[in-house]
Amino acid sequence: MDQRIDCIFKLISNESKGICDVGTDHGYLPIRLAAEGFSGNIIATDINIKPLKRAESNAENADVSGDRITFCRCDGLPEHLSDRFDTAVIAGMGGDLICSIIDRADWIFSDRYSLILQPMTRPEVLRYYLVNNGFSISSDMLVEDRGRIYQIIKCSFTSVNDSYSDLELFCGKESRCNDQHLYKSLLRKIKMNLNAIIAGSASSDDRSRIAFYRSIVGEI
Ligand SMILES: C[S@@+](CC[C@H](N)C(=O)[O-])C[C@H]1O[C@@H](n2cnc3c(N)ncnc32)[C@H](O)[C@@H]1O
């Protein structure tokens, strides 16, 4: 089990009435929940039939009983199952795609739900969207797996807009992070990546974007 899925698993409350893993692919998270006796409903969705079939067959191979996980082919968050879960996981996708999945589900803008989000790219876009649309981030977890640092955000709708600095949009608030050592490594990686973009930018590149990146590097 990779560190990333393990961290998401540990963020799910035992008291939860159910989870929905959006874009489940291999189904590792729902299978782990079922195997470890999670008592709530377990829903696994994917927009594509092939990954959904893969998740079903992985569940069979792991001896997870056929009716323990509800597999559902759908695009984004399944409104028709919305009363069966209180925790939605959207992991392993780009930050922009996660924003658009949340944005298309107005019913998820409710304090009934917790969201656990793991963007593979553009975490700053996702955090900007969350904190400007009434979601409060309660934890910003970092895990390292095979040399890559993953960011895992837990949040819920409170209708209050939080205030984040530009740098905090990229890496979360240090005070809500689980690992100060990884936080510092993440800052170094962000600085390196932004410096590479700045150095590689042609003179015709978007000047305001480069100035923004320079200011982030300056903050670090
Ligand atoms: C890279 S996999 C991530 C799998 C797993 N969530 C993880 O974190 O390891 C992304 C999955 O999201 C699915 N997906 C992409 N867009 C989606 C959408 N709008 N609704 C549901 N699933 C989606 C893809 O078919 C793919 O199986």
Side-chain angles (χ1 to χ4, degrees):
M1 179 62 52
D2 71 39
Q3 305 283 322
R4 190 177 58 87
I5 302 280
D6 189 56
C7 179
I8 296 171
F9 172 80
K10 288 179 179 149
L11 283 173
I12 297 169
S13 160
N14 275 334
E15 263 84 80
S16 162
K17 82 166 172 187
I19 79 114
C20 176
D21 184 28
V22 176
T24 196
D25 194 358
H26 36 66
Y28 292 159
L29 179 68
I31 292 168
R32 167 109 184 251
L33 284 160
E36 298 221 4
F38 177 71
S39 59
N41 299 310
I42 307 176
I43 299 160
T45 80
D46 208 287
I47 195 172
N48 293 308
I49 196 69
K50 250 179 135 173
L52 206 55
K53 291 279 167 219
R54 181 165 45 237
E56 283 191 64
S57 118
N58 285 344
E60 263 174 45
N61 293 338
D63 273 340
V64 167
S65 94
D67 54 3
R68 186 64 192 92
I69 303 174
T70 303
F71 293 96
C72 165
R73 186 179 183 192
C74 75
D75 179 2
L77 285 151
E79 185 169 9
H80 66 292
L81 300 173
S82 59
D83 59 349
R84 295 183 50 193
F85 65 90
D86 56 20
T87 305
V89 176
I90 314 177
M93 297 179 208
D96 304 80
L97 178 55
I98 297 176
C99 289
S100 93
I101 288 175
I102 296 170
D103 203 50
R104 285 187 285 126
D106 55 357
W107 50 272
I108 206 86
F109 290 66
S110 153
D111 60 6
R112 286 170 50 202
Y113 299 99
S114 288
L115 303 181
I116 300 173
L117 311 170
Q118 187 267 304
M120 296 301 285
T121 56
R122 308 195 76 191
E124 72 280 12
V125 171
L126 177 59
R127 282 198 192 84
Y128 181 85
Y129 175 84
L130 293 172
V131 301
N132 286 291
N133 283 282
F135 288 92
S136 293
I137 297 174
S138 53
S139 40
D140 247 307
M141 310 297 282
L142 296 177
V143 288
E144 191 169 22
D145 203 354
R146 283 157 275 189
R148 181 167 180 167
I149 299 175
Y150 295 93
Q151 304 196 39
I152 300 167
I153 298 167
K154 186 166 185 180
C155 63
S156 56
F157 185 73
T158 58
S159 78
V160 177
N161 286 354
D162 213 343
S163 160
Y164 270 60
S165 72
D166 290 339
L167 175 60
E168 286 170 343
L169 294 175
F170 279 79
C171 53
K173 284 191 189 289
E174 193 172 1
S175 58
R176 290 173 199 170
C177 176
N178 59 322
D179 187 323
Q180 301 307 313
H181 173 71
L182 271 187
Y183 192 83
K184 291 197 171 45
S185 302
L186 179 65
L187 289 180
R188 281 195 293 275
K189 281 193 185 219
I190 291 169
K191 189 172 180 178
M192 213 171 66
N193 291 344
L194 294 183
N195 271 334
I197 297 173
I198 293 165
S201 65
S203 53
S204 59
D205 271 9
D206 177 356
R207 281 174 198 278
S208 61
R209 189 171 58 95
I210 296 302
F212 176 62
Y213 289 164
R214 278 191 208 285
S215 81
I216 302 286
V217 169
E219 256 195 88
I220 296 171

